[in-house]
Amino acid sequence: MSEVHEGLEVVAFEDPTRLRMWLEEAGAAHPGVWVRLQRATSSRRSVTFRDLLVEGIAFGWSESTRHAYDAQSYLQRFSPRRVRGTASERNRRIAAELEEAGRMTDAGRAALGPSAGSR
């Protein structure tokens, strides 16, 4: 059985490719998860907060609350974006980079609104 924190499954990804594969399967109907991220001082591999941010924008997911976990890691809540069209300048810039690289999805575009990929 998987670990659960505050009603959501705790997951971990060693690299951004595995995170992206998981997001392709999870879709926008998923309730969300807590992603275990390793601290910079940890010797264990994991995606970074930046990886979570970028892939989340690509798929219309959002990172929010952070909780302490242990000395080596923390938990970051990660779920489908619920409010449409609320894109900060940073998120719009990342979305434009994802568009240029061909990595932005329809779900990501819909979540960030019509100006998501424009600079």
Side-chain angles (χ1 to χ4, degrees), residues 55-61 81 84 95 99 104-113 116:
E55 295 301 334
I57 290 170
F59 284 86
W61 281 55
R81 191 175 288 272
R84 302 290 183 226
E99 286 287 3
M104 191 71 171
T105 68
D106 289 342
R109 285 183 205 97
L112 292 180

Side-chain angles (χ1 to χ4, degrees), residues 37-102:
L37 300 173
Q38 297 298 319
R39 297 183 187 280
T41 56
S42 175
S43 61
R44 299 178 100 179
R45 290 184 52 184
S46 83
V47 293
T48 64
F49 177 82
R50 172 84 179 165
D51 296 331
L52 205 60
L53 171 67
V54 170
E55 295 301 334
I57 290 170
F59 284 86
W61 281 55
S62 180
E63 78 297 327
S64 59
T65 309
R66 178 183 290 194
H67 286 187
Y69 187 74
D70 61 25
Q72 297 295 312
S73 63
Y74 59 93
L75 300 177
Q76 186 74 49
R77 187 177 172 132
F78 192 52
S79 57
R81 191 175 288 272
R82 299 290 180 224
V83 178
R84 302 290 183 226
T86 56
S88 67
E89 180 59 37
R90 174 193 69 177
N91 289 1
R92 285 193 302 275
R93 190 171 49 254
I94 292 169
E97 292 167 6
L98 287 163
E99 286 287 3
E100 280 184 26

Side-chain angles (χ1 to χ4, degrees), residues 17-46:
T17 301
R18 292 178 189 201
L19 169 60
R20 190 169 185 88
M21 289 171 35
W22 184 87
L23 282 164
E24 288 171 351
E25 293 291 321
H30 197 285
V33 293
W34 288 95
V35 178
R36 185 176 175 191
L37 300 173
Q38 297 298 319
R39 297 183 187 280
T41 56
S42 175
S43 61
R44 299 178 100 179
R45 290 184 52 184
S46 83

